[in-house]
Amino acid sequence: MVAVESGHHGAIDLEKQKRVLAVRTPPKALLSYQKRLDEFVAEACPGCLTAPHPTPSNTSWKTALHSITLTNNTIYTRMASQGEERRGRGRARGGRQRPGGDQHVGVEKHTPGMDDLMGWMTGLQVHDERTWRDTSGRDQQGERGRGGRAGGRDDRHGTGGAGRDAGRRGSDSTEQGEVGRKGVGRGGVTGDRERGGQGLGRGRGRGRGREGRERSKEEEEQMVVWTRPQLLMDKKGTSGQPIHLRSNYYQLTATPALRLCLYHVEFSPEEERTWARKALMRQHTNVLGNYIFDGMQLFLSHKLGKDPLEMASKRPDNNTPYMVKIRFIKELPSSDPEYLKVFSLVVKRCLEYLGLTQVGQHYFDPTQEMVSQKHRVAVWPGQQVGIRQHEHQVLLCTDVIHKFLRLDTMHDLLRQILANHPDNYHHVVRRQVLGNVVMTRYNQRTYTIHDVAWNITPTTTFNFRGSEITYLEYYQQTYQVTIKDHRQPLLLSRPRLKEQRRGTSSVYLIPELCVATGLTDAMRNDHHMMKDLAQFTRMDPERRVQSIRKFSSNLFNNEKVKAELQQWGMEFSKVLSAVRGRVLPQEIISMGPVSFQYKGFGSDWIGEVKNVSMTSCAQLTNWVLVFPSRLKSEAEDLLSGLRRVSKSLGMVVTQPAIQILQGETLQEYVQGVGQHGGVKMVVCLLPNSRLDRYAAIKRHVTCVMSVPSQMIVARTLQNKAKLMSVVYKIAMQINCKLGGEAWRVHIPFQNAMVVGYDAFHDRGGGGRGGASWGAVVASYNHNLTKFYGQVTRHANREELTSNFRVAVMNALKHYSEVNGQLPERVLVYRDGVGDGQLLYVKDTEVTAIKACFEALGFSPRFSFVVVSKRINSRLFTQNPSTGQPANPPPGTVCDDVITRPERYDFYLVSQQVNQGTVTPTCYNIIEDMNSNLDPDRHQRLAYKLSFLYCNWMGPVRVPAPCLYAHKLASVTGQALKDSPPAHLRDKLWYL
């Protein structure tokens, strides 16, 4: 039925709007929604409703949804854009706007029109879902969490222990605006940021509008991509025991009841630095009134009387005159996504009122700097803050973060390298300097180092605003900084490709003014250093909650913050959000003839399987043991230990060939190993964990000899009290590398292939210019314990997609060869995807995998799940004995409240953490084609897969296929630097 409004409002397709409404409306609320919609339309168009609507059953509800086609934009965005178009037509007809954004058409009494209908539906979708949730009688509270550390220890550290993070958090590099070789760099400015179709850009010509312009990193993270399946009405599971949780979120309890006007700001002469632009705008507070300015866009709670508005300003530091031109863009309705941006900018301004310093996208407190003189490292405590629309409310997330800064400057590092390596100075500098993220202390900005400009020194001149000036003079005039060493080479930081297309120049930095941020791999491998730094950064749940509450108290009780929030009509809850989760049933683990249930406490189950044989045992025959002569005692302990544990594990271990080395150089190791061609396994005892030695041996054994290998650091065998435990884990690891199976869990379906993907990015060679390796591992047995692994190098995401597609095709063919048929079900767990990459992954990678199915002529049940570790949410439960915050137990799942309304997502705590705060993992199901898996089964399966990483006797943080893919990619990128032989693909040689 199509109802036509009288007057100037045009036509409303009522059935279409009801179908749009149905996408976000729970079926139990549909009756009341239809009644309210009928009442609304009756007012808008009397007589349009000619017949009552039928009572909606679940069948009619699902049938109605079949005709709905969603785009990758949220309904809110679509409503906002349609509203803008309608308001534009209204203005052309001579109508006027009111604060709510509704169109008046020259009559005294306002007749509800399409804008009112769309606005009413928007509010209905947000608010009335709570009514359904409260009256449905079901517990639908949930939560999601942030990433932490889990995974398997590399074999060169001795055992398959608890290990390192499957993906470490790196330092962020931000767009900057420093002096370039031939002029001032243009970093930090994104061109025209108008969300309309045209509009003037600043700097280098016209802006691209919404479709054409490049997005900033922050905008990509906030971009909404609809990945929730069209027919999914309820994404909450039901199994498990309920658990009460707290999260690190504060609810936005009051939002501004005002209209927002968006303006574009231009400066003449051009000014690239955001802080300077803000300083120029602050001089006109009396004219602008209450405003928000991000350096490009200006938001006002009222419309200026003149358009465009031009005002004169002077730069505070040198009185340079500027002309500021403010041009009106549009009025924003309350449904516009720009409102969230305004909220975010208001919060950032509030953080500045607390005296925090912005470094990259986060805020830190330099006054609370903690220094370790022993390791020459400073630690800045800070806050990571974000605000966005979650399942039912707008929530503010805050968490404690830390930034590591070296006390030594890059100039100190260059001098140290020159003193230690005078013969190959340039080579060592490139190896140790390139790829570092540095911070300039004079403006707290970060840069990635891509090259060293050996022919440029501080005395070199460049053109600055029409005149030649040296770097010495520039830094003295601009930052009042005196450079001491006039002969030091400068460091080069290149902009990203999209910044280069906008005209951003490279940046040259003075080494003595830069300090490196973050920790190197060598620092992370120094257990003593990490233990010392942990006293600054590691927080148990009680301490973390105290820190979050202290920050929120300082924030919300600050008088300037109170005034700022009041001006914008914003108010936050003063308590951490309370949510309800569930603890999934614990898994039954089977190892050989023994089955037992994981208890959920304690980090592993090694105590349950003493003297128990493995599920499938390989034979350790025709192997060689290589060690230097001074480690003969450790080698004998290893051999005697292997003979003892092999009996209980069910392994056959024969006497190896012995290769004793006179020295410990990597050349002697490679030559000694090379004398034993034809063996099936190489075991090496290493004096320490030096990466170059490990890489050389691993590369030779894997790529030249084409056999698995086991590297063992001697110190792990020197503790006699733990010797048998260490040897036990080594034996299990060797068994899995040879094709055996350690344990299994019950898998609820047959003939399925589970795929994991992760990537390794080599920071050497200039950071973003370093090599990237993508690994794909795919199961090929029913127990999901044997994997076919492939790894390839890629330079861009187009190559990544192509390699991904080829790897999935090869995995399907291998599965068919082993099992005699193709899998009936394929599940892909994709790690390493940021929010800004979701749309590409959904549109390109998922499509490429479906093309594999079409090429092979079959249509399996298919699910594609994005696994995210680097998230900011935290979960806390209550310690029953002390009443203080504690970590939730393994198996805790949250699937409501702070999940995203546009996603099919949930958050899972699978691992046990004994120190610090547990960090959940986010699962976002972006494709679920005929899978027959409801939310509960997806959650249970993700938890099951966390038990199948054979390098650790306990659940890990991510599904085992993702962790295997991470190990394969990192070993290849760090050690092999080349793809391994094809006949090793069906072995876990990379553990």
Side-chain angles (χ1 to χ4, degrees), residues 76-90:
Y76 306 116
T77 305
R78 192 164 58 183
M79 290 178 179
S81 61
Q82 292 172 353
E84 282 300 311
E85 182 180 354
R86 285 187 295 275
R87 277 187 290 276
R89 292 197 297 266

PDB file of all heavy atoms in Angstrom, residues 76-90:
ATOM      1  N   TYR A  76      20.628   4.563  10.358  1.00  0.00           N
ATOM      2  CA  TYR A  76      20.708   5.939  10.833  1.00  0.00           C
ATOM      3  C   TYR A  76      21.345   6.830   9.768  1.00  0.00           C
ATOM      4  O   TYR A  76      20.885   7.926   9.492  1.00  0.00           O
ATOM      5  CB  TYR A  76      21.547   6.010  12.114  1.00  0.00           C
ATOM      6  CG  TYR A  76      21.073   5.096  13.187  1.00  0.00           C
ATOM      7  CD1 TYR A  76      21.873   4.059  13.640  1.00  0.00           C
ATOM      8  CD2 TYR A  76      19.813   5.246  13.750  1.00  0.00           C
ATOM      9  CE1 TYR A  76      21.439   3.210  14.629  1.00  0.00           C
ATOM     10  CE2 TYR A  76      19.374   4.393  14.739  1.00  0.00           C
ATOM     11  CZ  TYR A  76      20.193   3.381  15.189  1.00  0.00           C
ATOM     12  OH  TYR A  76      19.771   2.536  16.159  1.00  0.00           O
ATOM     13  N   THR A  77      22.438   6.359   9.157  1.00  0.00           N
ATOM     14  CA  THR A  77      23.119   7.147   8.146  1.00  0.00           C
ATOM     15  C   THR A  77      22.218   7.363   6.945  1.00  0.00           C
ATOM     16  O   THR A  77      22.163   8.446   6.375  1.00  0.00           O
ATOM     17  CB  THR A  77      24.411   6.442   7.721  1.00  0.00           C
ATOM     18  OG1 THR A  77      25.202   6.194   8.882  1.00  0.00           O
ATOM     19  CG2 THR A  77      25.192   7.282   6.738  1.00  0.00           C
ATOM     20  N   ARG A  78      21.487   6.303   6.550  1.00  0.00           N
ATOM     21  CA  ARG A  78      20.613   6.417   5.407  1.00  0.00           C
ATOM     22  C   ARG A  78      19.490   7.419   5.683  1.00  0.00           C
ATOM     23  O   ARG A  78      19.126   8.232   4.854  1.00  0.00           O
ATOM     24  CB  ARG A  78      20.041   5.039   5.069  1.00  0.00           C
ATOM     25  CG  ARG A  78      19.341   5.007   3.727  1.00  0.00           C
ATOM     26  CD  ARG A  78      19.143   3.584   3.257  1.00  0.00           C
ATOM     27  NE  ARG A  78      18.364   2.813   4.218  1.00  0.00           N
ATOM     28  CZ  ARG A  78      18.102   1.514   4.057  1.00  0.00           C
ATOM     29  NH1 ARG A  78      18.587   0.872   3.020  1.00  0.00           N
ATOM     30  NH2 ARG A  78      17.382   0.871   4.946  1.00  0.00           N
ATOM     31  N   MET A  79      18.942   7.369   6.894  1.00  0.00           N
ATOM     32  CA  MET A  79      17.905   8.326   7.254  1.00  0.00           C
ATOM     33  C   MET A  79      18.447   9.751   7.209  1.00  0.00           C
ATOM     34  O   MET A  79      17.787  10.664   6.718  1.00  0.00           O
ATOM     35  CB  MET A  79      17.380   8.024   8.654  1.00  0.00           C
ATOM     36  CG  MET A  79      16.559   6.762   8.748  1.00  0.00           C
ATOM     37  SD  MET A  79      16.065   6.515  10.453  1.00  0.00           S
ATOM     38  CE  MET A  79      15.098   5.019  10.290  1.00  0.00           C
ATOM     39  N   ALA A  80      19.643   9.933   7.747  1.00  0.00           N
ATOM     40  CA  ALA A  80      20.211  11.278   7.805  1.00  0.00           C
ATOM     41  C   ALA A  80      20.404  11.844   6.413  1.00  0.00           C
ATOM     42  O   ALA A  80      20.086  13.001   6.139  1.00  0.00           O
ATOM     43  CB  ALA A  80      21.536  11.250   8.568  1.00  0.00           C
ATOM     44  N   SER A  81      20.969  11.024   5.492  1.00  0.00           N
ATOM     45  CA  SER A  81      21.217  11.517   4.144  1.00  0.00           C
ATOM     46  C   SER A  81      19.920  11.820   3.419  1.00  0.00           C
ATOM     47  O   SER A  81      19.803  12.805   2.696  1.00  0.00           O
ATOM     48  CB  SER A  81      22.041  10.495   3.367  1.00  0.00           C
ATOM     49  OG  SER A  81      21.338   9.272   3.253  1.00  0.00           O
ATOM     50  N   GLN A  82      18.894  10.963   3.605  1.00  0.00           N
ATOM     51  CA  GLN A  82      17.603  11.220   2.976  1.00  0.00           C
ATOM     52  C   GLN A  82      16.972  12.495   3.554  1.00  0.00           C
ATOM     53  O   GLN A  82      16.369  13.291   2.838  1.00  0.00           O
ATOM     54  CB  GLN A  82      16.676  10.018   3.178  1.00  0.00           C
ATOM     55  CG  GLN A  82      17.140   8.787   2.415  1.00  0.00           C
ATOM     56  CD  GLN A  82      16.327   7.553   2.783  1.00  0.00           C
ATOM     57  OE1 GLN A  82      15.514   7.601   3.691  1.00  0.00           O
ATOM     58  NE2 GLN A  82      16.577   6.465   2.080  1.00  0.00           N
ATOM     59  N   GLY A  83      17.121  12.676   4.861  1.00  0.00           N
ATOM     60  CA  GLY A  83      16.574  13.872   5.491  1.00  0.00           C
ATOM     61  C   GLY A  83      17.212  15.136   4.953  1.00  0.00           C
ATOM     62  O   GLY A  83      16.546  16.145   4.728  1.00  0.00           O
ATOM     63  N   GLU A  84      18.566  15.076   4.727  1.00  0.00           N
ATOM     64  CA  GLU A  84      19.247  16.257   4.195  1.00  0.00           C
ATOM     65  C   GLU A  84      18.718  16.597   2.808  1.00  0.00           C
ATOM     66  O   GLU A  84      18.508  17.754   2.457  1.00  0.00           O
ATOM     67  CB  GLU A  84      20.759  15.995   4.124  1.00  0.00           C
ATOM     68  CG  GLU A  84      21.456  16.104   5.460  1.00  0.00           C
ATOM     69  CD  GLU A  84      21.285  17.481   6.048  1.00  0.00           C
ATOM     70  OE1 GLU A  84      21.527  18.478   5.342  1.00  0.00           O
ATOM     71  OE2 GLU A  84      20.884  17.574   7.212  1.00  0.00           O
ATOM     72  N   GLU A  85      18.508  15.567   1.988  1.00  0.00           N
ATOM     73  CA  GLU A  85      18.016  15.812   0.637  1.00  0.00           C
ATOM     74  C   GLU A  85      16.623  16.440   0.673  1.00  0.00           C
ATOM     75  O   GLU A  85      16.317  17.369  -0.067  1.00  0.00           O
ATOM     76  CB  GLU A  85      17.991  14.487  -0.134  1.00  0.00           C
ATOM     77  CG  GLU A  85      17.538  14.640  -1.577  1.00  0.00           C
ATOM     78  CD  GLU A  85      17.532  13.302  -2.293  1.00  0.00           C
ATOM     79  OE1 GLU A  85      17.990  12.323  -1.698  1.00  0.00           O
ATOM     80  OE2 GLU A  85      17.046  13.268  -3.437  1.00  0.00           O
ATOM     81  N   ARG A  86      15.773  15.930   1.577  1.00  0.00           N
ATOM     82  CA  ARG A  86      14.419  16.466   1.664  1.00  0.00           C
ATOM     83  C   ARG A  86      14.442  17.904   2.192  1.00  0.00           C
ATOM     84  O   ARG A  86      13.680  18.756   1.745  1.00  0.00           O
ATOM     85  CB  ARG A  86      13.572  15.572   2.568  1.00  0.00           C
ATOM     86  CG  ARG A  86      13.164  14.276   1.892  1.00  0.00           C
ATOM     87  CD  ARG A  86      12.206  13.525   2.780  1.00  0.00           C
ATOM     88  NE  ARG A  86      12.826  13.088   4.018  1.00  0.00           N
ATOM     89  CZ  ARG A  86      13.526  11.961   4.126  1.00  0.00           C
ATOM     90  NH1 ARG A  86      13.701  11.198   3.066  1.00  0.00           N
ATOM     91  NH2 ARG A  86      14.038  11.603   5.275  1.00  0.00           N
ATOM     92  N   ARG A  87      15.321  18.166   3.177  1.00  0.00           N
ATOM     93  CA  ARG A  87      15.376  19.525   3.701  1.00  0.00           C
ATOM     94  C   ARG A  87      15.866  20.499   2.638  1.00  0.00           C
ATOM     95  O   ARG A  87      15.467  21.638   2.579  1.00  0.00           O
ATOM     96  CB  ARG A  87      16.255  19.572   4.947  1.00  0.00           C
ATOM     97  CG  ARG A  87      15.510  19.170   6.198  1.00  0.00           C
ATOM     98  CD  ARG A  87      16.372  19.393   7.415  1.00  0.00           C
ATOM     99  NE  ARG A  87      17.471  18.452   7.479  1.00  0.00           N
ATOM    100  CZ  ARG A  87      17.355  17.227   7.980  1.00  0.00           C
ATOM    101  NH1 ARG A  87      16.197  16.808   8.415  1.00  0.00           N
ATOM    102  NH2 ARG A  87      18.380  16.424   8.028  1.00  0.00           N
ATOM    103  N   GLY A  88      16.800  19.999   1.777  1.00  0.00           N
ATOM    104  CA  GLY A  88      17.268  20.849   0.692  1.00  0.00           C
ATOM    105  C   GLY A  88      16.140  21.218  -0.252  1.00  0.00           C
ATOM    106  O   GLY A  88      16.018  22.355  -0.699  1.00  0.00           O
ATOM    107  N   ARG A  89      15.280  20.242  -0.574  1.00  0.00           N
ATOM    108  CA  ARG A  89      14.139  20.537  -1.446  1.00  0.00           C
ATOM    109  C   ARG A  89      13.189  21.508  -0.758  1.00  0.00           C
ATOM    110  O   ARG A  89      12.601  22.386  -1.375  1.00  0.00           O
ATOM    111  CB  ARG A  89      13.413  19.238  -1.809  1.00  0.00           C
ATOM    112  CG  ARG A  89      14.228  18.316  -2.699  1.00  0.00           C
ATOM    113  CD  ARG A  89      13.317  17.291  -3.343  1.00  0.00           C
ATOM    114  NE  ARG A  89      12.681  16.429  -2.351  1.00  0.00           N
ATOM    115  CZ  ARG A  89      13.178  15.255  -1.983  1.00  0.00           C
ATOM    116  NH1 ARG A  89      14.305  14.835  -2.510  1.00  0.00           N
ATOM    117  NH2 ARG A  89      12.541  14.511  -1.094  1.00  0.00           N
ATOM    118  N   GLY A  90      13.039  21.345   0.579  1.00  0.00           N
ATOM    119  CA  GLY A  90      12.152  22.238   1.310  1.00  0.00           C
ATOM    120  C   GLY A  90      12.654  23.661   1.293  1.00  0.00           C
ATOM    121  O   GLY A  90      11.882  24.606   1.136  1.00  0.00           O
TER     122      GLY A  90
END
